[in-house]
Amino acid sequence: HATLVVIGAGIVGCSTTYHLAKQGWKNIVVVEQGPLFATGGSTSHAPGLVFQTNASKTMTKLAQYTVELYSQLSTDEGPAFYPVGGIEVAYTEERMAELKRKLGWAKAWGVDDAMLLTPEEVKAKVPLIDATKILGAYYVPSDGIAKALRASEALANDAIAAGAADFYGNTTVIDIEVVNGQVKAVVTDQGRIETDKVLVCAGIWGPRIGRMVGEVIPLTPVQHQYVKTAPIPELAGETEEVNFPMVRHQDHAIYFRQHGDCWGIGSYQHEPLLVDPDNILPYAEAPVMPSVNPFTEEHFGPAWESTTELFPALKGAELTYKINGMFSFTPDSGSVIGESTQAKGFWVAEAVWVTHGGGVGKIVAELMTTGVPSLDIHEMDIHRFPEVCKSSDFITRAGAQQYDEVYDIIHPLDQQLHSRELRVSPFHPRLQELGAQFIFSAGWERPQWFKSNIALLEAYDVPPRHGWEAKHWSPIQGAEHLATREKVAMYDLTPFAKFEVTGPGVVAYLQSLCANDVDKPIGKVIYTAMLDENGGIMCDLTVSRLGEEKYWVVTGGSVHGHDLAWMQAHLPTDGSVRIIDVSSSYCCVGLWGPKAPAVLQAVTQTDVSKPQFKFFTNQQLRIGNIPVLASRVSYVGEEGWEIYAPTECGLKLWDTLWAAGQEHGIIAAGLAAFETLRLEKGFLLWGTDIHTEYDPYEAGLGFAVKPNKGDFIGKEALLQRKEYASRKLCFLTLDDPTAVVMGKEPAIADGKVLGYANSAGYGYSLGRCVVYAYLPLGYAQPGTKVSVEYFGQSFAATVVDKLL
Ligand code: FAD
């Protein structure tokens, strides 16, 4: 019997076991199909380049911790980390601008040693390079080369020495027994191990292990080419394994590192070469290693040309080591972490780079020990993929796109081209007729703005844009924003997740989850957070009481799986509460704007005037023939309702409201306007402005916390945090009315980085760009001046008391 069986002794399995041991776990059994520790998995042949800076704050923090951890490790063979620095060169003006943007992330996330270099400075650090080819570079001295096998072995040995874990090589997991939805045992070719917890760190084999319990682990192995040259005369006498900084040449999708007097080259400059996890050979049958396929010369030619252009000294060099190595790509390139909802006790830590292996191990150990990781990990959440994004067709297409774009300059609104129209709302035909520009979100097609609204530009002034912030932008979205404030607009909110929660235990259950008091009269809509044990904001949603023992919980489409998993994990075991996911049964229209009451009143016999239909209440009523639930709430800060109707009645509902709205100048408006409208009103978005790293008080949501109502998850921790609060979510506006920033920019004052733009967008009614940032209390007073850095340019900003 084991407390936990870990499958896989690559970097992820070893790191997580080490961190579990630190958390006090005992009796962990790690099983590995290959020999220890050069197991034949991806870790066995990763050249180990660790570039820390990432668009994601969490990924950057995980990489920083990983560097710190590997730096302390070694084996008899030598250190596990060489802090030689990382250089990313720019071939184009566009890349140079991107590197400036990257420097902004570095400042925002605390990569304090990051800097830009001139071509000459690059040449001084890497003499082999032809500096005339580049415009400049981004440099992080603390980046470096991880020796992933040494790190794995050192971490494993530490856990063994602590008496926490035993590692078994040459032991293959062939089945996992699940009884009544709970893991009971792991079956290996060497015998059966009883356990109620298993952690899958099986890398590219993950999907095969997932299938044993019915869990889709959405990743595809992709082949990636890596080669080494024979000794290069210019490097003669280099005795250190690695001395020079590593180099990334992202414009040609290649990267380089030194191996003593040889040069290593990794290439993404070829079509994605996908591998079916079922076709990976067993260790005994693999010619080199299970995760290595024969080198395909035909895919390397262009990469070699690019290589010798940047490093002329390599011309004519022989390549003595050549592989197509495999590692995992997921549909959004994020890792996959968490406990399955298919089988209790089935934990997953998959699709993790060596770069993040230390940090992910720590986070997973925290999650499994206390349930509360010290970083926001929603981007890696195992529950983030909707069912339509879990087919092997979707996973392989999306994984291939991620491979293709791994070094590309990605705009936050760049769209995937494959697998579109998987989920459309019943209004879809009307949205298409109106010229909706769709974006893909959680499988849904969501209108961003509508071509048909072009005529609004005659009535509304929208400042023009240029450059990065103009990409995928249309002035029409600004006009939709202004028309919503002045008249009335319809928003397709069908992707909202709706959960019907019922049963005799429902009040106690929701009271234990929600920070707000939800034991309110029937017809009340309650805005609330659900907190984790640490008082951090796990979910942000509305709870509506529909009956004595019946509630509706409504949350965003992109957190559907996340929030549902949290609620399910806390269901009482006595069956006194039931959650039914009714999301697909109901469509939703947001009808908002000063004319919304007039439009609604024209199509219903119910009196919807303010005294009869108060804010934050809902009512069942009819719109024409259609029975709907109307909630008087607004995320855009204007009069109006979220209107829920049976999905099959959606088109009729849309047409009825549309017809009634004509005399009031009704329009359809998209997500882009929805976003800037909420920004101007100070409303928060979970995942960006709030998540588990923040608590409701510092986020300004104290009004929705009712500590006196009784106990709820996270209350104690929250009240303690309140005592020691040191920062506050602030609203800022840029002083220059024509300036626009996009989010993630550092906020700087007195030479210090104080915070960063959690959200940012242009407030078309305010006539200024709005930025949300958590600032230290000393800087949170209205009138405080800070600067916001965007592509290396500094914009003056002022903390304001109130936005619109
Ligand atoms: P693995 O190391 O593959 O470990 C999984 C283990 O699970 C394997 O040892 C396997 O044998 C075992 N296993 C699977 N199924 C079973 C079973 N049924 N029973 C028992 N055991 C099982 N990352 C970077 O950060 N920087 C780089 O520069 C870099 N370069 C790379 C270059 C190449 C050519 C390749 C291929 C990858 C590179 N990577 C790099 C990616 C990195 O190697 C991987 O993301 C990382 O090693 C994955 O670690 P892991 O522990 O999840 O997987």
Side-chain angles (χ1 to χ4, degrees), residues 6 50 52 86 101 120 158 180 252 360 393 424 557 567 602 702 752 766 779:
V6 176
V50 177
Q52 297 166 87
R101 190 164 75 110
E120 297 69 40
D158 208 284
N180 293 331
H252 288 188
V360 166
D393 178 68
V424 298
M567 290 173 62
K752 284 183 299 199
L766 271 173
Y779 290 87

Side-chain angles (χ1 to χ4, degrees), residues 7-14 31-34 37 39-50 148 171-174 201-206 208-209 212 222 224-226 255 268 290-291 323-328 349-356:
I7 305 175
I11 188 63
V12 180
C14 292
V31 288
E32 166 54 55
Q33 65 189 3
F37 284 87
T39 64
S42 304
T43 307
S44 300
H45 49 77
L49 289 80
V50 177
T171 306
T172 305
V173 172
I174 50 178
C201 304
I204 53 175
W205 291 265
R208 278 161 53 166
I209 308 281
M212 294 174 185
V222 188
H224 162 58
Q225 297 196 300
Y226 194 77
Y255 62 85
Y268 294 97
S291 66
I323 60 164
N324 281 17
M326 300 170 205
F327 69 107
S328 307
E350 284 283 334
V352 180
W353 288 43
V354 170
T355 300
H356 310 106

